[in-house]
Amino acid sequence: MKLVPRGLALAGWAGRYVWSGWAGVAGLFCLAAAWQAGHEFYGSFVLPSPLETLQAISVIVREPSFAKVARETAERSLAGFVLAVGIGTTAGAIAGYSFAAMRLMRPIVTVILGVPPIAWIVLALIWFGSTGASAVMTVVVAALPISFAGGLEGVATRDRALDAMARSFGAGIWMRFRTVTAPHLISYLFPAWTTTAGTAWKVTVMAELLSNSGGIGGELATARALFDIPRVMALIVAVVAFALITEYVFLHPLRDRLERWREAGLPWGVKR
Amino acid sequence: MGCEAMKLALESVGHAFLGRPVFEKLDLSLVEGEVVALIGPSGCGKTTVLQIAAGLIDPLRGRVRRAYRRHAVVFQEPRLLPWMTARDNIAYGLCAIGASATARVEVAERRAREVGLHPEDLDKFPVELSGGMRQRVAVARALAVDPDVVFFDEPFTAVDVGLKRALQDLVIEAAAREHFSALFVTHDLAEAVRVAHRLVVLSGSVEGLAASRVIEGKPGERNDRIVFEMVETWSRDPAFHALFDGERERIR
Ligand SMILES: Nc1ncnc2c1ncn2[C@@H]1O[C@H](COP(=O)(O)OP(=O)(O)OP(=O)(O)O)[C@@H](O)[C@H]1O
Ligand SMILES: [Mg+2]
């Protein structure tokens, strides 16, 4: 009985979500128009046209090796993402609960934040050599501070009045974390997670390119050496597409599901 | 009602925040089925007494004896979880004591009916409810755990006069029906006289209770004229002066 309206609600939400994508597509086409204008001004050697790039993409995706390098890069960014988010969020949450831990960890994170990612790549190359591990490590240290800050802020700003309410009903620590702190924390973590997901793709490709350890970054290095500009553009577009897919196919729907209560509070006109 | 079982006793309790004493040597007890109104001027420490009684803060001095299974608190603000529907909010206390999912739904719906919430409101989130409905949900959440003692901290100060009466009647009925004891904090003498069996006044200065009066008759059986006359009589009583003199906040 309850399944049918729930299925309908889900279908309605999915329809609205996909429909809202049109605005994004329109924006992307504006960008493509500007790109075309640049191409006509500078010529194919500096900036291949969107059409040439599309053709190059269609060639690349048919190469069997592309699937392999794309998977390599995806696995590295995923590993980096999971580690950065896991370690960062946990450490941040602990710091949010414990004043002493916060005093101790804040400066460490500030120092990590101060070191430019490029320096981490050099260090990672020395420590791990030309392997995937150096790309993963670079992603972790580059993206960890954002999750740390999100976890710290989320736990530190939890509603103590609600916590007292939960205690008055005899709720234990775990239940209070699950029902009072975690839903509040999520709203701090999502911005951190979307940024981390984007950073993970970008930094992985950069580390791969510099450490010559295969993946899309490695392909990019080869294409650059051969002056195959359309291929360079195609690889760039592919990475951007992967980052967009991660954000809009995985993270945003998850957020919408978890934060339904927030949408309920919006005035009618603002609802999608 | 001297012969009934003692449910809660505060014995010479004293508390201070950051070295500033709020009250000392306060004795207060609740017997079974008794509603005690705790009244006093703003800032005199009523919320503090309630939090100590409910075990939310530990008193600096004295001790609290409890002889009951379960209590519930209705706070000054509704304190609903914004990410849960009204139904899940009402069932929150049941969740904490480990009731089964079916029992939670059944009890939540029954309690919602009792406090006058529509079944369709149960699927709404707190932001979609009016202020009065939120406070009703908070009352339903407290009653849902079948408490032996309920602590009310000025629960109806933020609602309009008509709704206030309706919510007071709801508490009076529930207390009579389910026979729980209650500590009802308020700064409104008329409200205290309507809902309580007994009235205690927390004095503005540090020494503790200024007065304790048994209110004649039963809550719910006093009509408006009786309530009005009692308030009139007591407002001339020196023990209640702190409530009515001009300075609202106590200056130390
Ligand atoms: N957490 C706290 N830290 C420091 N001082 C506090 C704290 N809570 C309360 N106080 C002080 O203790 C005194 C009593 O506060 P309390 O909240 O118990 O008053 P109240 O009688 O409930 O007032 P009201 O009727 O306005 O709600 C006040 O002077 C207040 O400033
Ligand atoms: Mg108070």
Side-chain angles (χ1 to χ4, degrees):
Chain A
M1 254 165 17
K2 263 190 163 162
L3 230 55
V4 175
R6 205 172 274 174
L8 275 179
L10 191 69
W13 168 82
R16 275 200 310 279
Y17 186 74
V18 171
W19 188 250
S20 71
W22 283 118
V25 171
L28 289 182
F29 274 109
C30 290
L31 189 66
W35 178 359
Q36 178 72 30
H39 159 73
E40 278 163 23
F41 193 75
Y42 290 109
S44 262
F45 187 71
V46 175
L47 190 63
S49 73
L51 194 66
E52 281 172 274
T53 308
L54 268 182
Q55 280 159 355
I57 290 179
S58 73
V59 171
I60 288 178
V61 295
R62 265 182 270 133
E63 287 169 13
S65 64
F66 180 72
K68 199 178 132 279
V69 294
R71 228 189 63 205
E72 217 167 45
T73 303
E75 278 167 5
R76 287 169 186 168
S77 353
L78 185 69
F81 175 82
V82 169
L83 283 175
V85 161
I87 299 172
T89 307
T90 314
I94 292 171
Y97 275 115
S98 149
F99 200 67
M102 186 186 77
R103 281 286 175 84
L104 208 62
M105 287 198 255
R106 263 242 170 99
I108 300 176
V109 172
T110 313
V111 168
I112 294 179
L113 203 59
V115 180
I118 199 86
W120 286 115
I121 295 177
V122 173
L123 282 179
L125 274 178
I126 294 167
W127 294 339
F128 300 106
S130 285
T131 60
S134 38
V136 173
M137 190 205 108
T138 316
V139 171
V140 172
V141 286
L144 192 132
I146 315 164
S147 285
F148 178 83
L152 172 64
E153 283 295 301
V155 171
T157 60
R158 72 189 182 280
D159 193 333
R160 277 149 219 272
L162 288 181
D163 215 50
M165 182 281 292
R167 266 191 299 131
S168 80
F169 281 106
I173 285 194
W174 171 236
M175 178 171 174
R176 286 196 329 257
F177 178 76
R178 208 162 39 80
T179 55
V180 178
T181 312
H184 174 75
L185 187 59
I186 290 281
S187 58
Y188 280 82
L189 286 180
F190 257 107
W193 289 358
T194 44
T195 318
T196 304
T199 311
W201 281 106
K202 283 181 284 191
V203 173
T204 305
V205 170
M206 184 169 76
E208 282 171 349
L209 192 148
L210 292 174
S211 69
N212 206 6
S213 54
I216 295 181
E219 288 288 303
L220 210 53
T222 318
R224 190 199 62 127
L226 299 173
F227 280 101
D228 189 348
I229 313 298
R231 195 178 167 85
V232 171
M233 287 306 284
L235 288 167
I236 293 170
V237 170
V239 174
V240 172
F242 287 144
L244 288 180
I245 288 171
T246 317
E247 186 165 343
Y248 287 97
V249 176
F250 297 110
L251 289 174
H252 276 244
L254 183 67
R255 175 198 208 134
D256 278 15
R257 294 277 83 193
L258 288 176
E259 301 222 307
R260 226 153 37 87
W261 61 276
R262 211 180 274 285
E263 198 196 343
L266 293 176
W268 278 102
V270 182
K271 283 184 187 170
R272 261 202 302 266
Chain B
M1 23 177 78
C3 54
E4 266 126 336
M6 183 84 81
K7 286 283 157 187
L8 173 81
L10 272 63
E11 291 169 354
S12 62
V13 165
H15 198 70
F17 283 111
L18 311 168
R20 268 170 64 185
V22 182
F23 49 78
E24 312 244 20
K25 291 219 180 330
L26 181 124
D27 293 284
L28 183 66
S29 60
L30 278 180
V31 299
E32 192 175 347
E34 184 187 33
V35 178
V36 172
L38 176 65
I39 188 164
S42 184
C44 70
K46 302 183 294 294
T47 299
T48 311
V49 172
L50 180 129
Q51 284 177 325
I52 288 172
L56 288 173
I57 52 180
D58 291 323
L60 239 45
R61 280 176 292 281
R63 62 196 215 104
V64 183
R65 284 194 296 136
R66 300 189 178 86
Y68 55 80
R69 287 172 309 138
R70 218 174 283 143
H71 66 227
V73 186
V74 180
F75 294 90
Q76 215 159 344
E77 330 81 48
R79 297 202 187 177
L80 305 179
L81 295 169
W83 36 82
M84 285 188 183
T85 58
R87 178 182 285 109
D88 292 340
N89 264 297
I90 296 175
Y92 189 77
L94 294 168
C95 204
I97 59 177
S100 74
T102 46
R104 291 207 298 264
V105 171
E106 189 265 315
V107 171
E109 278 169 10
R110 179 163 54 84
R111 293 296 181 176
R113 255 198 320 278
E114 279 172 21
V115 300
L117 286 167
H118 279 290
E120 64 259 33
D121 292 334
L122 285 180
D123 289 317
K124 290 183 180 165
F125 289 101
V127 278
E128 299 170 291
L129 300 172
S130 73
M133 281 148 97
R134 279 179 220 164
Q135 202 53 279
R136 282 175 201 262
V137 171
V139 173
R141 176 179 64 189
L143 297 181
V145 293
D146 280 324
D148 305 306
V149 176
V150 189
F151 299 100
F152 294 92
D153 188 2
E154 306 193 34
F156 311 137
T157 28
V159 297
D160 71 82
V161 184
L163 186 57
K164 196 172 186 161
R165 275 188 75 98
L167 291 169
Q168 285 165 359
D169 288 338
L170 211 137
V171 169
I172 294 166
E173 273 165 38
R177 184 178 62 229
E178 286 163 42
H179 220 63
F180 55 73
S181 313
L183 182 65
F184 197 104
V185 168
T186 176
H187 60 242
D188 176 358
L189 191 52
E191 179 170 71
V193 170
R194 280 200 82 210
V195 301
H197 295 102
R198 190 156 64 87
L199 181 67
V200 293
V201 183
L202 195 58
S203 67
S205 50
V206 176
E207 67 262 21
L209 294 183
S212 173
R213 299 273 189 282
V214 173
I215 308 169
E216 278 170 50
K218 283 207 179 98
E221 288 172 5
R222 306 178 190 120
N223 62 29
D224 287 349
R225 202 174 53 81
I226 296 176
V227 169
F228 180 76
E229 277 169 9
M230 264 185 211
V231 172
E232 276 298 290
T233 322
W234 275 337
S235 55
R236 282 191 292 275
D237 190 326
F240 292 81
H241 269 167
L243 282 175
F244 298 100
D245 59 14
E247 50 161 354
R248 300 287 301 158
E249 294 286 334
R250 183 155 52 110
I251 301 150
R252 257 177 262 167

